[in-house]
Amino acid sequence: MYEPTVARLTYRALLGRRRAAILFVLPALLITISVSVRLLAGADDQIASDVLGGFAIATMIPLIGVIAGTGAIGPEIDDGSIVYLLAKPVKRSTIIFTKLIVAIAVTMAFSAIPTFIAGLILNGNGGQIAIAYTVAALVASIAYSAIFLLLGTVSRHAVVFGLVYALVWETLFGSLVPGARTLSVQQWALSLAERIGANGTITSDVALPTAVVLLAAVTAAATWYAGQKLRTLKLAGEE
């Protein structure tokens, strides 16, 4: 189910000079904000939770997921180079699974690590807040990678749709509209963080068992459907 050659090519595509520069911007901004807040407000559990929840979970991780998830396969489909990969004797489900693993690894590296560092800066992990949000970042990275990899497989406008989802649904509706929160990866991840963090500092509108089931179901469904769509993608010689 994991093809090293496909993984190496995908890592190279995602960590190229231009894309890597974009990936570093948001974590750097999170660290900068955290240092500024700590200097101005001191160590405060609620402020730390607000910064990590409001920026890291609600904005940074979905956007990094868009870059990594769509970038793992979208450009290859857009420029037609995917045909060379599909011509190799590698199962298409293996291609999707390998690209998902790479997208998850990149998203986790550029989101969970900065989130943990920012948590330590903000309040030294008081109330287990840094660890709680790091776990949330790790879990959200898996779901976002699967969702955005699927978008990259089914649409040539995956980045646009991904940004709309990340900025409008997750950041706006997922944070403000009560009914939409139940269908938000952000809220599912916060449910895990709520269980780990100190009482009252982190809240989620979704119960933990429901969140775990939805995270697993969405990740599995998105991965399966991406494999199905790639399987039906015909090479020029097959037309």
Side-chain angles (χ1 to χ4, degrees):
M1 291 297 291
Y2 182 83
E3 174 54 49
T5 301
V6 175
R8 184 171 63 254
L9 294 173
T10 306
Y11 275 118
R12 186 179 301 172
L14 287 179
L15 300 178
R17 184 177 302 176
R18 182 184 303 177
R19 197 174 296 273
I22 297 174
L23 286 170
F24 274 108
V25 169
L26 290 170
L29 182 57
L30 173 63
I31 299 300
T32 301
I33 292 173
S34 300
V35 171
S36 301
V37 169
R38 178 61 185 267
L39 291 176
L40 293 173
D44 183 276
D45 291 354
Q46 190 57 55
I47 292 177
S49 180
D50 292 342
V51 171
L52 295 178
F55 183 78
I57 300 297
T59 302
M60 182 184 76
I61 299 173
L63 291 178
I64 291 176
V66 170
I67 297 170
T70 61
I73 195 169
E76 292 176 296
I77 294 177
D78 290 342
D79 62 22
S81 61
I82 190 71
V83 298
Y84 300 105
L85 183 58
L86 297 181
K88 303 296 182 182
V90 179
K91 292 182 178 180
R92 299 188 184 188
S93 58
T94 298
I95 294 173
I96 286 294
F97 185 76
T98 301
K99 288 182 173 294
L100 175 62
I101 294 299
V102 173
I104 289 173
V106 171
T107 305
M108 284 182 172
F110 283 91
S111 61
I113 295 174
T115 297
F116 181 68
I117 295 172
L120 293 180
I121 293 172
L122 286 164
N123 75 334
N125 194 39
Q128 297 292 303
I129 289 175
I131 292 178
Y133 278 105
T134 299
V135 171
L138 291 171
V139 171
S141 295
I142 298 173
Y144 283 132
S145 295
I147 291 170
F148 296 129
L149 180 66
L150 172 60
L151 281 179
T153 306
V154 302
S155 174
R156 291 183 178 273
H157 306 289
V159 174
V160 175
F161 290 133
L163 289 175
V164 169
Y165 176 86
L167 296 176
V168 177
W169 183 264
E170 288 287 342
T171 304
L172 183 59
F173 286 97
S175 299
L176 302 177
V177 181
R181 293 175 185 173
T182 305
L183 301 177
S184 168
V185 174
Q186 172 190 338
Q187 292 297 321
W188 303 341
L190 285 175
S191 181
L192 293 170
E194 182 181 22
R195 178 61 62 90
I196 298 171
N199 291 336
T201 56
I202 305 172
T203 59
S204 172
D205 289 345
V206 182
L208 182 58
T210 302
V212 171
V213 170
L214 289 173
L215 282 166
V218 167
T219 301
T223 304
W224 174 82
Y225 192 61
Q228 292 298 112
K229 294 299 292 184
L230 191 63
R231 188 173 291 113
T232 60
L233 183 66
K234 293 183 179 297
L235 304 177
E238 296 176 341
E239 299 291 346

